[in-house]
Each structure stands twice: as structure tokens, then as C-alpha cells.
Amino acid sequence: MHGKANNISASKRHIKSLISFLFPSNGRSAALYPDGKQTLRVLPSSTVAVHLFDFEGEDYDAGSLYLLRQKKLISIVRSAPTEKITKIADALWRGGLRFMEITFDQTGNIPQEVSAEQIRMVRESFGDRLHVGAGTVMTETQRKLATAAGAEYIISPNVNVEIIRGAFTPFEIITAYEAGTDFVKFFPADCVDPHYIKAIRTPINHIPLLAVGGVTPENLGEYLHAGMAGAGIGGAMVRKENVAANDFDAVAARAACYVAVVERL
């Protein structure tokens, strides 16, 4: 399959770092890159779709990637009020988080321009202290809005130009990794038995894996001990009830609980 992979040319200087996301799905998915340029490989079909994470910017170096390997955690923030987004970011930073993803809302309830504005606000307020990216980027318009707002990376569950098929077995994970990814990320992690993680890590322990979905401070250590390189956490860290009550200290405390697990390892 490696020799038959379809390559689509792209400007290599834009492809700084890639991360694969594994989603149980029967659909088709592909990665979206800066300036609408693509570097895609058609991978073996399976029930899991592969999605890529791309660090943006001409001046990107290995620093952010190294930091992610150290800190291991990405906070995923969905449907947050704009007037509270920097307070959420501050809470995450105080709790020890250094990576924050702000997602686009595909239902239309939150205009895409609002999500882009939230990215801009966090970037301007925190600079290099907090690495902010855009999530659920599904259209070229959203990509342009995100990059114009200063998103350092883009997480795209789907685009409508080409296909990247899934990776779940060791062979497929290796294929995804050899296609240029730096991490392979599982979602939802709580549907995967840690014994499976340990089993596939034995022959492919050079490929870093990230867990997303159902990761709590109580089970984060189990995933990391099983071989995961880190995790992405959504509503379990930034709880809607805490945001609604302006209890950002609770968000910071929750973030700190996750960070403490990482620091104890």
C-alpha cells in the first residue's frame, strides 16, 4: 500500500508538524493545509478515519512540538462565550496547560467569525505563553478565518477535496505515521481497552499516541502508563457549569489536576 499511496503535491514549508486523529467512522475524511494546498495519501480503508493536525506559520520550529511532548495535554474548548474566552484561557494557563484548541461550531449557533475572533483574542492576550489552535475546521472559509486570526495549528475532521482513509490496526497506524504524522490520536479513548494500547505499543513503540474522549484525572495515568504520549480533554476540564457560574478557579483547579498526573510520572 505504501508504494501505491497517492501523493498530492504541496508546499512542504507549510507542513511543519502533523498529528493523526482516529475517529470511529464509516465516512471519508482528509486533511486541510494552509493556502488550500494539500499533501495527502490515500490510506487503507477501515472503520476509523484519519485527520491531521498542522502547525501553522513560516517561523514554526520544533519548540512547540517539543513542548507538547513534555506537557502532554491539549484543552479542547467548545461553544464558550466570547466575553469569557480569555478568562477560560487564563484559568487553563494558571492550571498549567500550554495548549488550547478553540473549535468551530458546525451547527451555526455560533458564527464562524465569532470562533475566529476568540482565537485572535487569546493569541493577542497570551502570545507564546499559550499555544492556541482551531478545531473542527471543515471549510476553506474557516481555515482562512483561523489562520488570519493567528491559529498556530488547525485540526480538521473533514474537507471535501480528497480522502484520507483510516488507521487503527498496527499496520494502518504505521502507514499514517510514515505519511508524515508526529502523533496518532485516538478518539474516543474510553472505548479502547488499555490492554489493546499496550499490545499495539509493543511492536510500534516509536509512534507516539494521544488519547481523547473520556480522559479524566483519575484515568489519565492509566492511559499514559499504557503507552499514550498525552491526551486532549474537552468538557471534563472546561465544564459548562463552571463557565456559566464564572468559577474560573474551578477550571484552573481541574486543569491542575491533569497537570499533576503528568508531573508525577
Side-chain angles (χ1 to χ4, degrees), residues 22 24 46-48 50 166-173 186 191-192 196 200:
L22 305 184
S46 72
T47 59
V48 183
V50 175
F168 190 69
T169 66
F171 170 76
E172 293 169 334
I173 292 172
F186 284 98
C191 292
V192 179
Y196 174 76
I200 63 173

Side-chain angles (χ1 to χ4, degrees), residues 6-17:
N6 296 326
N7 291 317
I8 301 172
S9 62
S11 174
K12 293 293 186 182
R13 70 181 185 276
H14 287 294
I15 304 171
K16 308 300 183 181
S17 178

Side-chain angles (χ1 to χ4, degrees), residues 184-208:
V184 179
K185 187 171 183 178
F186 284 98
F187 175 84
D190 56 351
C191 292
V192 179
D193 192 309
H195 289 95
Y196 174 76
I197 299 170
K198 291 180 180 179
I200 63 173
R201 289 288 295 160
T202 300
I204 55 173
N205 56 20
H206 62 292
I207 300 178

Side-chain angles (χ1 to χ4, degrees), residues 42-159:
V42 178
L43 303 180
S45 60
S46 72
T47 59
V48 183
V50 175
H51 312 275
L52 300 183
F53 174 113
D54 180 30
F55 280 91
E56 294 282 346
E58 292 292 334
D59 59 350
Y60 172 79
D61 57 31
S64 295
L65 182 57
Y66 176 74
L67 184 64
L68 179 56
R69 289 176 181 273
Q70 280 191 314
K71 299 298 184 181
K72 300 184 182 298
L73 302 172
I74 302 173
S75 174
I76 303 168
V77 179
R78 300 184 180 93
S79 305
T82 298
E83 66 274 13
K84 298 182 180 183
I85 195 67
T86 56
K87 294 180 180 179
I88 294 171
D90 178 69
L92 293 171
W93 188 84
R94 287 190 286 117
L97 266 288
R98 295 299 179 260
F99 288 85
M100 174 183 180
E101 170 199 337
I102 297 174
T103 66
F104 282 95
D105 176 23
Q106 302 304 323
T107 68
N109 292 331
I110 299 177
Q112 55 194 11
E113 293 81 6
V114 171
S115 299
E117 174 63 12
Q118 291 182 354
I119 293 169
R120 184 195 64 77
M121 291 170 64
V122 175
R123 283 286 287 154
E124 289 186 354
S125 296
F126 290 85
D128 293 335
R129 293 186 298 150
L130 186 64
H131 298 276
V132 60
T136 321
V137 178
M138 299 184 68
T139 68
E140 177 68 4
T141 297
Q142 290 169 353
R143 184 205 58 84
K144 289 181 178 179
L145 286 169
T147 54
E152 294 181 77
Y153 52 88
I154 286 176
I155 299 172
S156 178
N158 183 60
V159 291

Side-chain angles (χ1 to χ4, degrees), residues 73 214-224 231 233 235-237 239 251 253-262 264:
L73 302 172
V215 179
T216 67
E218 292 73 29
N219 64 23
L220 173 59
E222 183 178 5
Y223 286 115
L224 296 178
I233 304 98
M237 183 180 293
R239 292 177 170 172
V251 175
R254 189 72 172 168
C257 288
Y258 283 93
V259 172
V261 175
V262 173
R264 284 198 298 267

